[in-house]
Amino acid sequence: MDSTRVTEQPTSYERPQPGTDPADPRGALLRTPAAPLTPGAAALPAQARSTGETPPGPSVTPSDGSGPEHSQPAAAEPDTHRPRPAPEVIPAQPGTDPERSGPGGQERRTGQVTPPGRPTPMRRDGDRLRFVGAATRRIARGIDLDEIVMGLCRATVPTFSDAILVYLRDPLPVGDERPTGPVVLRLRRTDRIPEERDTEGGFLPVAQPEPSELSTLTAELCEVRPGGALAEVLRGVRPVFADAPAARAALPELLGEDGEAVIPAGQRAILAPLRGRRRVIGAAVFLRRPERMAFEADDLLIAAQLATHSALGIDKAVLYGREAYIADELQRTMLPETLPQPTGVRLASRYLPAAETARVGGDWYDAIPLPGSRVALVVGDVMGHSMTSAAIMGQLRTTAQTLAGLDLPPQEVLHHLDEQAQRLGTDRMATCLYAVYDPVSHRITIANAGHPPPVLLHLGGRAEVLRVPAGAPIGVGGVDFEAVELDAPAGATLLLYTDGLVESRLRDVWTGIEQLREKLAATAQLTGPDHPPPLEALCDEVLDMLGPGDRDDDIALLAARFHGIAPSDVAYWFLEPEEMAPGKARRLARRALVRWGLEELTDSVELLVSEVVTNAVRYASRPVTLRLLRTDVLRCEVGDDVPQLPRLRQARATDEGGRGLYLVNRMARRWGATRLSTGKVVWFELNSG
């Protein structure tokens, strides 16, 4: 038994089947010659097999040529209780239709002769339905705005029309927001059949404008005047022919003064408003060539279906784009915009969103300056990939910054983070690693809460995975965290990261950690044993180890290059809280400046040290600390056991005090005060050069 071949319709710029012509008036369904039929194949469409009803389309002539042209096949498919799903594409039709054409291939209704190799129009309602189904599926494939608009163009050109112009509102409204300005339509995309194709493919030269000329002849922007002809057509929602009175007045307003040149005469253009869920968001103009037959009334229904599906898809794409933008901005704003530049350490960071998620996750990193020129290094990972994970990450990061400002030990910081996570919810879990680096002692204190261990790259090129107690993740509750203190030699690099860097579907976490260690060691060998690799380049090299299947999770990376402060650049004293302390502090500071060759700063340092020490000894009950640090700047730190922080205020003319911090604020490069667990530290910096 013979059957017809099922083929998909060609779309824009796709070569049609031989024997077809896109210039046919209603050529949404391109006809191809009947293919040789395979014995035993089914002759009826799937919808008619189980019922035995005659399908609306043309049937197949038996292979011996004995039966009438529209007779049913002699036998049906044996397995009638298993209907086959409807085809996803438009079935091709025979090249001729005796019911529609007369002698010599003339169209009975119009008398026009269909030249060889041109497609015939859609003859049946089933053909139109199958075309609309295939076109809407192609439009629905798009996930962003450009893909949906392109899907509309490629689904209609050349199958339904020879050219299309798509206008969208600028800007597009999002969700339920109400635009405040006038309605402006912008030409988003044009598409059409190329002017010249070889006659073998069925395309003949035409005199219509090229795609670039379409956008040139038509206006790019159009402001819809309230109460105007275009506004009335858009408000009506239904597509209209170009020769309708309403469209004749609306098209010049939409296309501009020269736009009428692209509109063929007769019913060869359709203006279809694009209406989303709540409002009109644009318009589409479908065009056919003059030598192609005009649109029919049923084609208005097809244009309405295409416009409706496209508008709803555009609405969803705009909403999806806004949600993705909000998620991305939420993630970015919760990460540090810039890293600080603490004394004795250089920092670099990277963040990569997951490749298969909505670009939002719970990974974060942070570097927080601490009193005494120390710095806290933090990296964490909230479980999950959602807006909720990003919000929890922001709360935990804020909590960590607050706890770091109290100068708590690392294990205490993790303990309070664990309590905070439990207050946020029972299933709010995260891993975190908190480290404090002291450039004076060249030591680092690390506490871990279920996070992958850090890797230390030594100056000689040896990479070491630090042995840090793993601990339980934050949010488990009822667990104790342990801190370890390790050496942080000058020239070494500490790498903190989240598990997205070392774990994926293709490798476990420990295999990834070993690969990371080997990557760091190999990179260090390129610069030699005496020079550490550049920090930014090192981060890029680390990310290069990721393969195509290693982006299942977002990645946060924080690298710290330890330089430290040499003991010869540090001066440290204890001062008893007595009246003679300010004078003693001035003498000690003067000697240190002479030893460092900074005599030009003597007057400024003596004045400021005297003011800060005087305020400290006035309220302190324990010895006051004074420390001078020489790096690229001169830093002075005065600590006492009083937790109240000083505040800058404007002293009145009759006040005897209150001017010390005013002098510090005017003369110092920077200054500040930080609360400690045992009191506070007031510090200021002066340029040493």
Side-chain angles (χ1 to χ4, degrees):
M1 183 179 297
D2 298 333
S3 64
T4 58
R5 184 187 302 271
V6 178
T7 59
E8 185 175 5
Q9 287 301 314
T11 53
S12 177
Y13 300 102
E14 294 178 359
R15 192 178 191 85
Q17 296 291 333
T20 62
D21 189 350
D24 189 83
R26 293 159 297 168
L29 183 64
L30 303 184
R31 297 175 177 267
T32 59
L37 304 179
T38 305
L44 293 179
Q47 296 88 338
R49 288 179 184 169
S50 59
T51 61
E53 297 178 358
T54 303
S59 59
V60 185
T61 304
S63 58
D64 57 3
S66 59
E69 182 175 356
H70 292 279
S71 62
Q72 293 293 334
E77 185 178 354
D79 190 6
T80 58
H81 67 280
R82 296 174 57 188
R84 187 175 59 183
E88 289 292 321
V89 295
I90 306 171
Q93 301 181 66
T96 60
D97 191 344
E99 296 293 332
R100 294 279 184 158
S101 59
Q106 292 183 351
E107 181 69 25
R108 287 187 174 181
R109 289 183 300 174
T110 63
Q112 296 183 4
V113 178
T114 302
R118 292 204 177 190
T120 58
M122 286 185 287
R123 306 297 189 187
R124 305 181 302 274
D125 292 339
D127 298 337
R128 300 180 187 274
L129 290 176
R130 283 190 288 272
F131 164 72
V132 172
T136 52
R137 281 190 294 273
R138 182 159 195 167
I139 295 171
R141 291 195 200 113
I143 193 173
D144 60 20
L145 181 60
D146 292 332
E147 289 179 350
I148 293 173
V149 174
M150 181 179 292
L152 171 63
C153 296
R154 297 296 173 86
T156 56
V157 178
T159 310
F160 179 69
S161 63
D162 294 326
I164 184 174
L165 298 94
V166 181
Y167 286 83
L168 296 179
R169 290 185 67 163
D170 185 26
L172 278 168
V174 181
D176 297 332
E177 68 179 21
R178 301 180 64 86
T180 56
V183 178
V184 177
L185 300 182
R186 178 183 292 274
L187 182 60
R188 185 77 184 194
R189 184 178 177 86
T190 64
D191 200 359
R192 60 154 293 152
I193 301 174
E195 181 180 6
E196 294 183 358
R197 291 286 185 93
D198 57 338
T199 56
E200 181 183 354
F203 287 77
L204 299 178
V206 295
Q208 287 296 99
E210 283 298 299
S212 59
E213 297 175 2
L214 285 176
S215 58
T216 302
L217 295 176
T218 57
E220 183 180 0
L221 288 177
C222 166
E223 182 175 343
V224 181
R225 297 189 301 270
L230 181 58
E232 293 299 323
V233 172
L234 296 180
R235 187 179 298 111
V237 179
R238 297 179 180 275
V240 294
F241 289 121
D243 60 349
R248 283 200 301 266
L251 283 173
E253 182 181 347
L254 176 65
L255 304 179
E257 298 179 357
D258 300 329
E260 296 186 49
V262 304
I263 303 298
Q267 292 183 354
R268 290 181 173 83
I270 295 178
L271 174 58
L274 302 178
R275 179 177 178 82
R277 294 186 306 122
R278 301 196 179 272
R279 60 185 65 84
V280 174
I281 60 174
V285 181
F286 302 95
L287 304 171
R288 282 185 178 175
R289 293 169 172 171
E291 67 272 14
R292 186 171 178 176
M293 289 181 59
F295 288 107
E296 295 181 344
D298 290 341
D299 292 328
L300 291 178
L301 301 178
I302 295 179
Q305 289 288 332
L306 298 176
T308 299
H309 283 276
S310 300
L312 293 177
I314 291 171
D315 247 359
K316 294 178 181 179
V318 172
L319 286 173
Y320 173 79
R322 173 61 64 88
E323 291 179 358
Y325 171 78
I326 293 175
D328 185 65
E329 286 298 307
L330 176 64
Q331 178 78 21
R332 296 291 181 181
T333 53
M334 289 185 178
L335 295 174
E337 184 176 354
T338 58
L339 291 174
Q341 298 179 356
T343 303
V345 62
R346 293 292 178 267
L347 302 174
S349 63
R350 295 290 187 274
Y351 175 78
L352 291 179
E356 298 180 0
T357 64
R359 299 181 297 177
V360 61
D363 291 16
W364 90 91
Y365 62 89
D366 213 343
I368 309 168
L370 298 178
S373 299
R374 295 171 300 151
V375 59
L377 307 174
V378 191
V379 64
D381 182 6
V382 178
M383 297 183 182
H385 295 88
S386 63
M387 299 281 284
T388 303
S389 300
I392 295 173
M393 177 270 287
Q395 296 180 68
L396 293 180
R397 178 175 177 245
T398 302
T399 303
Q401 289 179 327
T402 304
L403 296 172
L406 300 177
D407 198 29
L408 297 178
Q411 65 270 24
E412 290 297 324
V413 172
L414 295 183
H415 175 73
H416 289 290
L417 285 176
D418 180 59
E419 293 180 340
Q420 175 67 9
Q422 294 179 66
R423 285 190 290 267
L424 295 176
T426 56
D427 57 344
R428 309 309 188 195
M429 299 182 63
T431 62
C432 182
L433 191 144
Y434 189 94
V436 176
Y437 170 66
D438 189 344
V440 176
S441 64
H442 296 266
R443 303 281 288 179
I444 185 169
T445 305
I446 306 176
N448 191 9
H451 204 77
V455 180
L456 184 65
L457 178 62
H458 294 268
L459 183 59
R462 181 175 63 91
E464 174 188 7
V465 179
L466 298 183
R467 296 183 178 181
V468 180
I474 292 172
V476 173
V479 297
D480 189 22
F481 298 100
E482 182 181 356
V484 294
E485 187 174 352
L486 304 171
D487 289 330
T493 304
L494 183 69
L495 199 69
L496 309 180
Y497 53 91
T498 56
D499 58 356
L501 180 65
V502 295
E503 185 180 19
S504 68
R505 291 172 294 179
L506 305 179
R507 59 182 178 182
D508 62 87
V509 60
W510 289 109
T511 301
I513 292 175
E514 180 61 23
Q515 292 178 357
L516 174 61
R517 188 192 66 80
E518 295 175 354
K519 183 68 174 180
L520 290 174
T523 304
Q525 292 178 358
L526 299 177
T527 57
D530 299 331
H531 301 282
L535 201 58
E536 296 290 342
L538 181 64
C539 293
D540 294 335
E541 288 293 330
V542 168
L543 295 181
D544 285 343
M545 65 179 284
L546 297 174
D550 296 338
R551 292 289 302 280
D552 304 329
D553 196 1
D554 45 342
I555 299 170
L557 178 66
L558 179 63
R561 173 70 48 76
F562 301 139
H563 296 293
I565 301 176
S568 59
D569 293 330
V570 180
Y572 193 86
W573 305 278
F574 287 95
L575 303 174
E576 293 294 331
E578 55 187 12
E579 295 181 356
M580 303 300 295
K584 184 177 181 181
R586 289 194 296 269
R587 292 192 298 271
L588 295 173
R590 187 186 310 116
R591 294 174 186 172
L593 294 177
V594 171
R595 185 171 69 250
W596 292 334
L598 301 176
E599 292 87 351
E600 67 275 7
L601 300 178
T602 300
D603 294 339
S604 300
V605 172
E606 285 187 355
L607 176 60
L608 299 184
V609 165
S610 179
E611 293 293 337
V612 177
V613 172
T614 299
N615 291 336
V617 300
R618 180 177 299 176
Y619 307 102
S621 58
R622 295 181 181 180
V624 175
T625 60
L626 172 63
R627 185 165 73 170
L628 296 180
L629 302 174
R630 183 186 66 167
T631 56
D632 52 345
V633 297
L634 179 67
R635 182 183 177 97
C636 176
E637 299 174 350
V638 177
D640 58 61
D641 60 344
V642 181
Q644 287 78 17
L645 299 180
R647 292 289 183 266
L648 181 66
R649 64 185 181 89
Q650 187 69 35
R652 293 174 297 181
T654 57
D655 291 344
E656 296 183 358
R659 296 177 177 83
L661 286 182
Y662 178 77
L663 292 175
V664 174
N665 184 63
R666 292 297 300 271
M667 299 179 63
R669 175 178 176 267
R670 289 194 314 159
W671 77 278
T674 306
R675 184 178 286 112
L676 304 177
S677 57
T678 58
K680 69 173 181 295
V681 168
V682 180
W683 57 270
F684 63 86
E685 293 178 352
L686 295 171
N687 292 324
S688 59

